[in-house]
Amino acid sequence: MCLGIPGQVIELLEGYGNQLALVDVAGVQRKINIGLLDEGPLEPGTWVLIHMGFALERVDAAGAERAFGGLELMGQPREPFQP
């Protein structure tokens, strides 16, 4: 198991072999590689767990909240969760 940071897909980016998405990570937009996800295409609003710039798995809003809670336990302050 690795440390995954939850992010919510904003949009899929054209080009780049269809492997990049713009993702909101705690209020910051980042380009994330989605090429490791094998469960079909992503849609805006989908939550993913990110490690080292790669989306490793899809999660639901509850899974994202648990991940945020784990980060908080490690001392990472955060804003209240807003699914």
Side-chain angles (χ1 to χ4, degrees):
M1 180 177 191
C2 68
L3 174 64
I5 307 296
Q8 192 170 31
V9 175
I10 297 170
E11 68 177 294
L12 302 177
L13 301 176
E14 300 223 3
Y16 309 104
N18 296 322
Q19 292 194 1
L20 287 184
L22 189 62
V23 177
D24 180 283
V25 179
V28 177
Q29 295 182 1
R30 300 183 184 274
K31 291 179 184 175
I32 301 298
N33 188 303
I34 57 171
L36 296 176
L37 297 174
D38 60 357
E39 302 152 354
L42 288 177
E43 296 180 6
T46 302
W47 284 96
V48 293
L49 286 183
I50 303 161
H51 181 71
M52 301 293 292
F54 291 87
L56 298 180
E57 70 177 287
R58 299 170 198 239
V59 294
D60 58 13
E65 173 62 13
R66 285 190 300 275
F68 277 124
L71 293 172
E72 190 173 74
L73 287 173
M74 292 186 298
Q76 172 67 39
R78 67 177 175 110
E79 297 296 319
F81 181 71
Q82 308 235 346

